[in-house]
PDB file of all heavy atoms in Angstrom:
ATOM      1  N   VAL A  62      10.579  13.729  17.384  1.00  0.00           N
ATOM      2  CA  VAL A  62       9.393  13.493  18.182  1.00  0.00           C
ATOM      3  C   VAL A  62       8.384  14.530  17.937  1.00  0.00           C
ATOM      4  O   VAL A  62       7.238  14.263  17.771  1.00  0.00           O
ATOM      5  CB  VAL A  62       9.867  13.458  19.738  1.00  0.00           C
ATOM      6  CG1 VAL A  62       8.632  13.407  20.594  1.00  0.00           C
ATOM      7  CG2 VAL A  62      10.813  12.290  19.978  1.00  0.00           C
ATOM      8  N   THR A  74      -6.433  18.481  13.014  1.00  0.00           N
ATOM      9  CA  THR A  74      -7.646  18.033  12.223  1.00  0.00           C
ATOM     10  C   THR A  74      -7.336  16.985  11.178  1.00  0.00           C
ATOM     11  O   THR A  74      -7.966  15.997  11.025  1.00  0.00           O
ATOM     12  CB  THR A  74      -8.354  19.213  11.629  1.00  0.00           C
ATOM     13  OG1 THR A  74      -8.625  20.107  12.605  1.00  0.00           O
ATOM     14  CG2 THR A  74      -9.622  18.795  10.956  1.00  0.00           C
ATOM     15  N   ASN A  87     -10.126  -0.398   8.188  1.00  0.00           N
ATOM     16  CA  ASN A  87     -10.004  -1.601   9.005  1.00  0.00           C
ATOM     17  C   ASN A  87     -11.341  -2.301   9.180  1.00  0.00           C
ATOM     18  O   ASN A  87     -11.494  -3.501   9.029  1.00  0.00           O
ATOM     19  CB  ASN A  87      -9.351  -1.414  10.331  1.00  0.00           C
ATOM     20  CG  ASN A  87      -7.887  -0.933  10.120  1.00  0.00           C
ATOM     21  OD1 ASN A  87      -7.231  -1.362   9.233  1.00  0.00           O
ATOM     22  ND2 ASN A  87      -7.336  -0.256  11.182  1.00  0.00           N
ATOM     23  N   THR A  97     -24.678  -9.483   1.524  1.00  0.00           N
ATOM     24  CA  THR A  97     -25.605  -8.705   0.756  1.00  0.00           C
ATOM     25  C   THR A  97     -26.982  -8.750   1.322  1.00  0.00           C
ATOM     26  O   THR A  97     -27.410  -9.841   1.774  1.00  0.00           O
ATOM     27  CB  THR A  97     -25.592  -9.236  -0.717  1.00  0.00           C
ATOM     28  OG1 THR A  97     -24.261  -9.101  -1.273  1.00  0.00           O
ATOM     29  CG2 THR A  97     -26.525  -8.351  -1.573  1.00  0.00           C
ATOM     30  N   LYS A 100     -33.137  -9.220   0.915  1.00  0.00           N
ATOM     31  CA  LYS A 100     -34.528  -8.775   0.878  1.00  0.00           C
ATOM     32  C   LYS A 100     -34.627  -7.331   0.433  1.00  0.00           C
ATOM     33  O   LYS A 100     -33.716  -6.591   0.575  1.00  0.00           O
ATOM     34  CB  LYS A 100     -35.196  -8.971   2.271  1.00  0.00           C
ATOM     35  CG  LYS A 100     -35.312 -10.462   2.682  1.00  0.00           C
ATOM     36  CD  LYS A 100     -36.070 -10.575   3.950  1.00  0.00           C
ATOM     37  CE  LYS A 100     -36.333 -12.040   4.388  1.00  0.00           C
ATOM     38  NZ  LYS A 100     -37.146 -12.180   5.564  1.00  0.00           N
ATOM     39  N   VAL A 162     -32.374 -19.285   6.816  1.00  0.00           N
ATOM     40  CA  VAL A 162     -31.050 -19.391   7.356  1.00  0.00           C
ATOM     41  C   VAL A 162     -30.094 -20.200   6.431  1.00  0.00           C
ATOM     42  O   VAL A 162     -28.959 -19.719   6.120  1.00  0.00           O
ATOM     43  CB  VAL A 162     -30.955 -20.063   8.752  1.00  0.00           C
ATOM     44  CG1 VAL A 162     -29.564 -20.279   9.253  1.00  0.00           C
ATOM     45  CG2 VAL A 162     -31.816 -19.235   9.816  1.00  0.00           C
ATOM     46  N   PHE A 179     -18.719 -13.372 -13.156  1.00  0.00           N
ATOM     47  CA  PHE A 179     -18.437 -13.911 -14.514  1.00  0.00           C
ATOM     48  C   PHE A 179     -19.366 -13.179 -15.510  1.00  0.00           C
ATOM     49  O   PHE A 179     -20.448 -12.836 -15.236  1.00  0.00           O
ATOM     50  CB  PHE A 179     -18.691 -15.398 -14.513  1.00  0.00           C
ATOM     51  CG  PHE A 179     -17.848 -16.178 -13.575  1.00  0.00           C
ATOM     52  CD1 PHE A 179     -18.374 -16.806 -12.445  1.00  0.00           C
ATOM     53  CD2 PHE A 179     -16.493 -16.349 -13.826  1.00  0.00           C
ATOM     54  CE1 PHE A 179     -17.650 -17.499 -11.605  1.00  0.00           C
ATOM     55  CE2 PHE A 179     -15.720 -17.053 -12.929  1.00  0.00           C
ATOM     56  CZ  PHE A 179     -16.259 -17.651 -11.800  1.00  0.00           C
TER      57      PHE A 179
END
Side-chain angles (χ1 to χ4, degrees):
V62 172
T74 303
N87 291 334
T97 304
K100 292 186 176 182
V162 174
F179 300 107

